[in-house]
């Protein structure tokens, strides 16, 4: 994508409405509250797709809605846009209550998974679709369109029809069309899922760079955790119509709030256990040292530890939580390997060791070895599959 | 930074979206459409129902008319006659059309394009045309009368042959579609398992088209049991329900009894319609998105046998048209065989003259223009309106109803409804408008389904994109939706034009001396013994329909080129 001046798009094209929008943006400024969602509920007949969601999004933020299929991401996004109206709840966008407004009265641009490019209009006319309506002069529109196409890395394709473009190019046109009216909020519903892996990785960074330069508040729906991790300022992890956790990619990964998050973002060993006291749990007959929160004392819980946190180097018998395990399967994954380990108690663990460790420790299938589960990497979650609300 | 709030226990305030002007316009239009459809479909049928329970003085007498009807042996005989004639012709045409469709889809026979076009010939003309040709071939002065070994063509034989020819294309189209949608992978599997051709046919082909065949049977049955033209021309003394209805209403002016026959005629049509709906719902589940089309493999014997068969059928269809065309130019059959345009001097004969022809043109044009506008517009509203579910469901019901109502029954109910002196719409009676309405309603269902199918094929997010860019809905409609749906719009208007041009049943009770129509003129001239001019008028109808179809073909081809640009790389 072509390097671009900051906010170039917003200032090149003048329109009273946009100036107003820009004014609001300046008042609000980066990092202030832009969108406030309060107790949003969406029902389809008896089925509750969104169960009272609240969320605040700051201006200029890149937010990802991440969650398994059917958890309500699209429903949430469409409710924010006003395309599928919420059953109850409030939406406040840059200080204005938009809960009851129709989509055409709100300020957003949207890119659908199908792109929804108008097949009978050329690329230029697609991009200009929202501009023509604003009584701008023809040359102005033309210039704006070519700027936008330049921005998304498709200069000179004005006269082509969408069908003549590749998936990735269509995606860019859809993005240009959504950005044409300089919306304060950009909504992307799985924009990359229809593309092949390479194009996807490439577009990821482009979209992110574009978003940063335009400082447009963006919400992207995805079920690809890698996508969310690399692009988002904050990730909203959803499951069964509720938010499980909101946080930066690092927070989400390192401090998952629930067992679901721990398991959905990255991989985790989730082991059912009984909390004995504040310092120990019992997992399938093995006693492990942990630091257990007060609320879980004496209860059934889930112990979580990430595969890469399982230690294998220089372990003594006296070390806490050291286990003698049998090496079962080894899955070679390039720079590291995923190893399945079984303990004599029947406990099975998945661990990831770097190629370095694999070599140094001579880890081969059928041998036994010693591993540790460091206390600082062990998390405990309430046993019930989390659905707190 | 994170900010999840626990939901409070305060009962949530339900939010209702404020309706935009677009929503208001759409909802208002939907209500208008409901009122319009209610007025032209439900109310007339109700008034026919009411009429059937009245005596000639207009007093309510319950089922007395029905009792009289079922106690009159002559009238009751018509029911069995109708069932016999329709049953026989339906089964025959199903068999013939299946073989023809099989040849077109499953063999590598030559001249497929030609056979495809020829099969459509009967659609260009009123059902009367095939009967008229039969009269010329097998009638009292027919050229091949002796082929019948003394049997008379005037009666069930003639009716059955005429009906078979007339409904052949309708049956063919349905069966062909279901043969085309069978999954080719099944055949690959059958070949891999070394199944014999006969076994493959019985186990794969027939079950695959089962629903198509049943559907075709019902549609063809409805068409034949409610057709009036063929039986009128060639039925002789053999009475069927449709001719009874005509005699009761036009001949004896016995409207009450007419209403009774109308309701009796409604029965088989409604039953067939319900059965067809049921079957079609089942068929949907048979198709999967991953099916692959079947590609036939050449086989000399099979291909040649089917080629001969298709040639024979085509010869009959072309012969039917050619016979009537030739007869229409013969100066005075059978005495003066010289060719002339005498029979085309319609103004010298009863039946409405050239005026009837221009009236027909006008009516077909109005039907096509206003019908397409209304039908496509309503389909658009039903598909794209947000919320308002109840009203949309009502419209969907209304749009299915006309398919179950035979044209004559619809026309009859219009007499009762629009001719009622206290009806404010009374002024429509005897006008061109009422015939246009009748035609639009009669052919509503097929057109509606075409429109909805086209609309459903478009990305549902087009309107969302428009809204997000603050473009009013009507602009998106004219800039995107309509251009994308233009082929369907053309299909609908061509269908409406040609069917309005050829229909007899939907207009037979509704024309007035000022609004004579070509198709009715064919009927009337034939009835008056002017059979050659009737053939000539029918040829005018064929010519017009053919021209419109040709125009449609070229327009669609042009559009397809453009669409190809939109669709492929
Ligand atoms: N129109 C509808 N009527 C009834 N239920 C619906 C409707 N739309 C969505 N749902 C249900 O609401 C839930 C959430 O759907 P949604 O499309 O928001 O999921 P999603 O998180 O976007 O999933 P995906 O990743 O598959 O796109 C699903 O269980 C779905 O079945
Ligand atoms: Mg989705």
């Amino acid at each position: 994508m072509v390097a671009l001046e900051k906010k170039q798009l917003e200032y090149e094209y003048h329109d009273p409405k946009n100036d107003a929008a820009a004014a609001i943006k300046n008042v609000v400024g980066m990092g202030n509250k832009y969108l406030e969602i309060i107790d949003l509920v969406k029902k389809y007949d008896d089925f509750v797709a969104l169960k009272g969601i609240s969320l605040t999004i700051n201006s200029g933020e890149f937010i990802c809605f991440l969650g398994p299929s059917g958890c309500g991401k699209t429903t949430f996004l469409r409710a924010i846009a006003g395309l599928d109206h919420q059953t109850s709840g409030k939406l406040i966008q840059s200080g204005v209550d938009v809960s009851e407004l129709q989509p055409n009265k709100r300020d957003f641009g949207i890119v659908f998974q199908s792109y929804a490019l108008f097949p009978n209009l050329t690329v230029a006319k697609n991009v200009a679709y929202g501009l023509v309506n604003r009584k701008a002069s023809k040359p102005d529109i033309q210039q704006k369109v070519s700027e936008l196409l330049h921005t998304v890395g498709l200069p000179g394709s004005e006269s082509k029809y969408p069908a003549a473009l590749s998936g990735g190019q269509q995606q860019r046109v859809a993005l240009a069309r959504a950005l044409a009216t300089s919306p304060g909020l950009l909504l992307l519903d799985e924009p990359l899922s229809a593309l092949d892996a390479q194009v996807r990785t490439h577009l990821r960074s482009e979209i992110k760079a574009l978003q940063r330069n335009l400082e447009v508040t963006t919400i992207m729906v995805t079920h690809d955790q890698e996508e969310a991790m690399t692009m988002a300022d904050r990730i909203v992890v959803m499951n069964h119509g509720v938010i499980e956790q909101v946080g930066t990619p690092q927070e989400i990964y390192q401090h998952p709030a629930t067992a679901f998050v721990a398991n959905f973002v990255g991989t985790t060993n989730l082991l059912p256990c009984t909390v004995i006291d504040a310092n120990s749990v019992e997992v399938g007959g093995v006693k492990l040292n942990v630091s257990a929160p007060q609320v879980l004392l004496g209860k059934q819980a889930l112990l979580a530890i990430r595969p890469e946190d399982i230690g294998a180097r220089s372990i003594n018998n006296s070390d806490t939580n050291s286990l003698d395990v049998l090496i079962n399967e080894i899955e070679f994954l390039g720079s590291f390997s995923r190893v399945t380990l079984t303990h004599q108690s029947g406990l099975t663990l998945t661990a990831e060791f770097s190629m370095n460790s694999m070599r140094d420790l001579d880890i081969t299938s059928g041998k036994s070895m010693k591993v540790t589960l460091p206390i600082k990497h062990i998390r405990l979650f309430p046993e019930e599959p989390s659905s707190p609300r | 930074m994170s900010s999840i709030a626990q939901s409070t226990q305060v009962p949530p305030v339900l939010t209702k979206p404020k309706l935009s002007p677009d929503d208001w316009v759409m909802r208002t239009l939907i209500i208008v459409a409901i009122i319009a459809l209610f007025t032209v479909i439900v109310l007339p049928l109700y008034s026919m129902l009411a009429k059937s329970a009245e005596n000639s003085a207009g007093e309510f007498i319950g089922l007395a008319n029905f009792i009289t009807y079922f106690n009159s042996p002559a009238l009751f005989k018509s029911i069995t006659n109708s069932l016999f004639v329709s049953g026989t012709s339906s089964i025959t045409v199903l068999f013939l059309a299946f073989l023809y469709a099989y040849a077109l889809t499953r063999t590598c026979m030559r001249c497929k394009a030609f056979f495809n076009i020829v099969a459509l010939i009967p659609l260009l003309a009123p059902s009367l045309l095939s009967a008229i040709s039969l009269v010329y071939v097998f009638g009292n002065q027919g050229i091949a009368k002796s082929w019948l070994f003394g049997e008379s063509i005037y009666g069930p034989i003639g009716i059955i042959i005429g009906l078979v020819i007339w409904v052949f294309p309708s049956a063919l189209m349905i069966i062909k579609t279901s043969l085309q949608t069978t999954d080719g992978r099944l055949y690959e599997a059958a070949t891999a398992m070394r199944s014999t051709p006969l076994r493959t046919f019985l186990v794969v082909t027939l079950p695959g088209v089962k629903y198509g065949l049943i559907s075709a049977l019902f549609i063809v049955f409805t068409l034949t049991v409610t057709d009036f033209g063929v039986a009128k021309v060639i039925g002789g003394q053999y009475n069927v329900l449709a001719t009874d209805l005509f005699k009761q209403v036009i001949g004896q002016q016995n409207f009450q009894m007419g209403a009774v026959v109308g309701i009796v005629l409604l029965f088989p049509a409604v039953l067939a319609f319900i059965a067809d709906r049921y079957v079609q719902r089942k068929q949907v589940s048979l198709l999967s998105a991953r099916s692959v089309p079947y590609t036939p493999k050449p086989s000399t014997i099979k291909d040649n046998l089917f080629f001969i068969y298709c040639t024979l059928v085509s010869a009959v269809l072309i012969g039917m048209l050619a016979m009537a065309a030739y007869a229409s130019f013969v100066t005075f059959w059978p005495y003066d065989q010289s060719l002339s345009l005498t029979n085309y001097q319609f103004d010298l004969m009863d039946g409405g003259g050239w005026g009837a022809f221009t009236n027909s043109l006008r009516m077909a044009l109005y039907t096509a223009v206003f019908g397409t506008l209304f039908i496509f517009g309503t389909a658009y509203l039903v598909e794209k309106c947000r919320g308002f579910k109840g009203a949309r469901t009502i419209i969907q019901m209304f749009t299915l109803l006309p398919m179950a109502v035979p044209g004559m029954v619809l026309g009859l109910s219009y007499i009762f409804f629009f001719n009622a002196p206290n009806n404010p719409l009374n002024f429509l009676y005897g006008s061109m408008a009422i015939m246009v309405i009748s035609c639009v309603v009669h052919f509503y269902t097929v057109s509606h389904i075409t429109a909805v199918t086209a609309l459903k094929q478009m990305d549902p997010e087009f309107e969302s994109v428009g809204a997000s860019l603050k473009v009013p809905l009507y602009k998106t409609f004219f800039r995107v939706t309509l251009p994308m749906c233009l082929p369907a719009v053309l299909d609908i208007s061509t269908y409406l034009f040609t069917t309005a041009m050829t229909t007899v049943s939907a207009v037979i009770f509704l024309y007035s001396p000022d609004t004579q129509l070509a198709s009715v003129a064919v009927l009337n001239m034939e009835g008056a013994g002017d059979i050659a001019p009737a053939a000539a008028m029918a040829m005018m109808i064929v010519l017009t329909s053919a021209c419109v179809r040709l125009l449609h073909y070229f327009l669609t081809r042009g559009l397809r080129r453009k669409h190809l640009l939109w669709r492929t790389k």
Side-chain angles (χ1 to χ4, degrees), chain B residues 6 12 88 100 131 204 278 320 383 400 527:
Chain B
Q6 297 285 328
T88 316
Y100 203 91
V204 180
Y278 175 76
M320 187 268 299
E383 282 301 303
L400 282 181

Side-chain angles (χ1 to χ4, degrees), chain A residues 262-297:
Chain A
N263 203 28
F264 187 74
V265 181
T267 47
T268 299
N269 292 291
L270 271 184
L271 312 167
C273 63
T274 315
V275 183
I276 300 167
D277 54 42
N279 297 318
S280 55
V281 295
E282 193 216 286
V283 187
V286 184
K287 202 169 158 189
L288 293 175
N289 288 342
V290 296
S291 75
Q294 195 69 32
V295 285
L296 289 177
L297 289 188

Side-chain angles (χ1 to χ4, degrees), chain B residues 27-45 370-371 373-375 377-378 381 391 394-395 398-399 401-402 410 414 417-418 423 425 428 437-438 440-441 444:
Chain B
R27 287 176 182 211
T28 315
L29 288 177
I30 284 187
I31 300 222
V32 170
I34 288 183
I35 294 173
L37 290 173
F38 187 75
T39 314
V40 296
I41 300 173
V42 181
L43 288 181
L45 287 177
F370 296 112
L373 268 180
F374 186 89
I375 293 169
T378 308
L381 291 173
I394 293 177
I395 292 207
F398 284 171
T399 56
L401 207 54
L410 189 71
Y414 276 23
F417 179 66
F418 288 101
N423 187 339
L425 294 172
L428 286 174
I437 294 173
S438 170
V440 172
V441 170
Y444 202 104

